[in-house]
């Protein structure tokens, strides 16, 4: 598709794995840049706004780079190095939000990491429907934002109920 020979590709990338890993890093860099630009112009005041900005940045990056790298970020295939890099990139993208999530729902950062994985899975479900053509990008952003907000509220409410019961005893 790029109009180059296989030999030229292998001159820059010694293996298929190296090429795939470069594609993942390129996607992550593009997503990070888009997210940074979005935050500069519209700094999120809460997790709902932050979620919306993140999902919009993902949509923009998928439109620019294709959905392939997005799928690879969640790779559980036979190539352990690609899967490891995908998980590392996801951690780099989500990691800075763990303290905000933990604070918002009153849990430890370790517990927030579990919640973050659930958030990513829910976001992926909505985004998959978008890039498969089932829903629009705007609908995916809205669904993901609503889902994340509801999940966080449910965790916060559950934690608050436990705290009230503990105080009552």
């Amino acid at each position: 598709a790029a109009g180059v020979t296989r030999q030229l590709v292998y001159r820059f990338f010694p293996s298929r794995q190296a090429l795939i890993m470069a594609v993942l890093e390129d996607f992550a860099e593009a997503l990070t840049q888009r997210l940074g630009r979005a935050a500069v112009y519209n700094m999120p005041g809460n997790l709902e706004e932050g979620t919306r900005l993140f999902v919009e940045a993902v949509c923009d990056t998928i439109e620019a780079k294709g959905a392939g790298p997005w799928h690879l970020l969640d790779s559980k295939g036979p190539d352990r190095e690609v899967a490891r890099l995908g998980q590392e990139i996801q951690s780099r993208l989500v990691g800075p939000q763990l303290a905000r999530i933990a604070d918002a729902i009153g849990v430890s950062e370790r517990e927030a990491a579990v919640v973050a994985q659930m958030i990513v899975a829910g976001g992926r479900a909505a985004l998959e429907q978008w890039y498969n053509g089932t829903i629009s990008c705007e609908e995916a952003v809205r669904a993901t934002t609503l889902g994340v907000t509801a999940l966080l509220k449910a965790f916060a409410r559950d934690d608050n109920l436990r705290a009230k019961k503990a105080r009552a005893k």
Side-chain angles (χ1 to χ4, degrees):
V4 298
T5 64
R6 185 178 294 230
Q7 291 83 5
L8 181 62
V9 171
Y10 282 113
R11 179 177 289 166
F12 292 97
F13 303 99
S15 66
R16 183 174 185 264
Q17 182 186 54
L19 175 62
I20 290 170
M21 292 176 83
V23 166
L24 277 172
E25 287 289 359
D26 179 66
F27 186 87
E29 178 63 28
L31 177 55
T32 300
Q33 287 178 0
R34 288 176 196 285
L35 188 56
R37 283 193 303 269
V40 165
Y41 292 111
N42 188 13
M43 188 64 182
N46 57 43
L47 286 170
E48 184 176 344
E49 291 172 9
T51 300
R52 184 184 45 75
L53 284 176
F54 183 79
V55 176
E56 287 172 348
V58 169
C59 290
D60 290 346
T61 307
I62 289 173
E63 285 178 342
K65 301 283 184 179
W70 177 251
H71 288 295
L72 288 171
L73 284 177
D74 198 38
S75 174
K76 305 220 181 1
D79 192 321
R80 289 186 180 151
E81 281 303 304
V82 170
R84 182 199 57 74
L85 180 60
Q87 290 301 311
E88 179 184 303
I89 290 170
Q90 280 191 49
S91 293
R92 285 193 324 237
L93 294 170
V94 174
Q97 299 305 316
L98 293 180
R100 289 183 77 188
I101 293 169
D103 186 53
I105 61 176
V107 298
S108 70
E109 282 197 34
R110 182 180 169 139
E111 291 169 307
V114 174
V115 174
Q117 287 180 346
M118 294 178 354
I119 290 169
V120 168
R124 282 187 165 285
L127 288 168
E128 184 176 328
Q129 290 185 35
W130 164 63
Y131 54 72
N132 286 337
T134 306
I135 62 176
S136 70
C137 181
E138 294 78 24
E139 290 170 310
V141 169
R142 180 168 157 57
T144 303
T145 303
L146 287 172
V148 167
T149 303
L151 179 66
L152 292 174
K153 285 179 180 177
F155 270 93
R157 185 173 34 246
D158 184 51
D159 188 60
N160 290 336
L161 287 174
R162 281 186 295 218
K164 285 179 185 177
K165 286 180 184 178
R167 283 193 300 266
K169 289 182 180 182

